[in-house]
Amino acid sequence: MKPPPLLVQSAVAAHRVALQQPDGARIHDRFVRGRRPGEIVPLSTLTHELDGGARWPEVGDWEAVTEDLLHIVRDHDCDALSLGLPNIARALVCAGPRSEVRAVDPSTGKHKAYGPADRIEVLVQVGGQLAWAEAGRPLWPGDGTLPPVNSTEGR
């Protein structure tokens, strides 16, 4: 079975009324706090920052919010960019910012390691795909967004 494509969405989409709240708003706060505008932040990065996921319960139910977001995307109620990344690139994005992914070349049997620098390259490529897809118009987070939460909430 082929894995589903990775999606890029506006962080504001986590502020949707249709999502489990206040979890979605707290997760949004984590996506944007201390980041550059437009920075691409994979969910795996947040998991890494939250002690490998041990502190997710302090923020919210990321699985429920992600499921709600997927329903919104499927219903075309917000913009999302679907990324058909190659397996190594997908693994790097999903594994986290300091992870290493090892692959074996089946023709030679040699191992190759991919690390944080390779992950950064993938995110730069994703940024290029996003810039092309947006073509001067940022991803639409959908209607029904909530105001930002107090950044100290949920900690």
Side-chain angles (χ1 to χ4, degrees):
M1 181 166 95
K2 185 177 176 181
L6 296 176
L7 296 174
V8 175
Q9 293 178 283
S10 168
V12 177
H15 263 265
R16 297 283 302 270
V17 174
L19 301 180
Q20 179 168 315
Q21 296 297 344
D23 295 18
R26 288 185 188 136
I27 291 170
H28 169 267
D29 182 57
R30 286 296 193 159
F31 272 118
V32 300
R33 182 189 314 156
R35 318 258 189 221
R36 296 180 319 276
E39 182 176 349
I40 296 172
V41 183
L43 190 60
S44 61
T45 297
L46 293 185
T47 298
H48 170 79
E49 293 170 356
L50 293 168
D51 295 333
R55 292 184 37 230
W56 265 118
E58 298 172 24
V59 178
D61 185 346
W62 69 268
E63 291 171 315
V65 171
T66 301
E67 187 174 319
D68 290 348
L69 279 170
L70 288 173
H71 288 294
I72 289 169
V73 168
R74 285 186 192 120
D75 293 342
H76 304 288
D77 288 338
C78 76
D79 287 342
L81 176 62
S82 179
L83 303 174
L85 294 176
N87 290 339
I88 297 296
R90 173 190 299 276
L92 286 165
V93 171
C94 292
R98 294 195 181 118
S99 297
E100 186 175 88
V101 173
R102 294 182 177 267
V104 176
D105 181 338
S107 64
T108 65
K110 292 186 178 184
H111 291 82
K112 177 160 181 172
Y114 300 86
D118 299 298
R119 185 180 195 260
I120 290 169
E121 285 181 32
V122 171
L123 293 177
V124 167
Q125 291 171 1
V126 168
Q129 289 179 346
L130 180 60
W132 179 84
E134 290 181 323
R137 183 182 64 83
L139 293 178
W140 172 60
D143 296 326
T145 58
L146 300 168
V149 296
N150 179 343
S151 63
T152 61
E153 184 178 12
R155 284 192 234 154

